[in-house]
Amino acid sequence: MSHSHRWVLYGFVLVFVLVFVTACGGGGQQQTQQPASQPSPPTTEQPAQPPAPAQSEEEQLIARGQYLATSIGCTACHSADGTTLVGPTWKGLYGHEVTVILPDGTETTVIADEEYLRESILNPNAKITKGFQANLMPIYEGQLNEDDLKALIEYIKSLSGEHSHE
Ligand code: HEC
């Protein structure tokens, strides 16, 4: 191989190396364009709830009173169907006459209005229903809050057997 051929060969090698380095080292600047971040999908609207069957405030109270009467335990002694248990039935109680014995032994007649129901629940011994024993019913004074008391009274009222909605 002549000297001139050898230089040509070196030239090729040099060019080759330069091209190689440029191709590998210089390519690093290319920026890959990030795809624009997707906007979060719009929150899917909840389908509107079908309207609950309209229940009046009174009906809600009655339902709550009925639930409380069972959960507190009133129904162990009081029926809603006329059956006499340990205590008088609540059926037909509200708005009707009740014969009671006062603490001094006097027998008298009262109308079972809201005030009477309230007193009978909070302080059962204030007026003992004739034919029933005193001191059997627990004293609920301080045990029931006003809302529960109202619900229970409303429930008992609903058992009056009359459709007198004031
Ligand atoms: C352990 C049995 C017992 C439990 C429990 C009981 N009672 Fe009584 N209740 C009686 C008895 C006995 C009488 C009748 C004697 C009297 O007037 O205290 C009575 C009377 C009543 C009266 C008057 C009824 C009437 O005809 O004059 C009402 C109202 C009443 N209870 C409501 C309730 C409520 C509300 C509850 C629950 C929060 C309850 N009672 C829990 C035994 C009970």
Side-chain angles (χ1 to χ4, degrees), residues 68-69 72-78 85-90 93 97-100 110 112 116-138 140 144 149 152-153 156:
L68 286 170
I72 295 173
C74 318
T75 50
C77 300
H78 294 283
L85 304 173
V86 177
T89 183
W90 285 342
L93 171 60
E97 285 191 353
V98 184
T99 305
V100 297
V110 296
Y116 172 78
L117 294 182
R118 176 178 286 264
E119 182 189 62
S120 295
I121 296 168
L122 295 181
N123 184 16
N125 291 330
K127 296 184 180 72
I128 304 300
T129 311
K130 192 182 180 188
F132 292 87
Q133 251 190 287
N135 301 315
L136 273 180
M137 175 161 161
Y140 288 101
L144 293 169
L149 188 57
L152 283 165
I153 291 172
I156 295 172

Side-chain angles (χ1 to χ4, degrees), residues 93-98 109-117:
L93 171 60
Y94 179 72
H96 293 89
E97 285 191 353
V98 184
T109 303
V110 296
I111 296 288
D113 55 8
E114 231 178 275
E115 198 46 51
Y116 172 78
L117 294 182

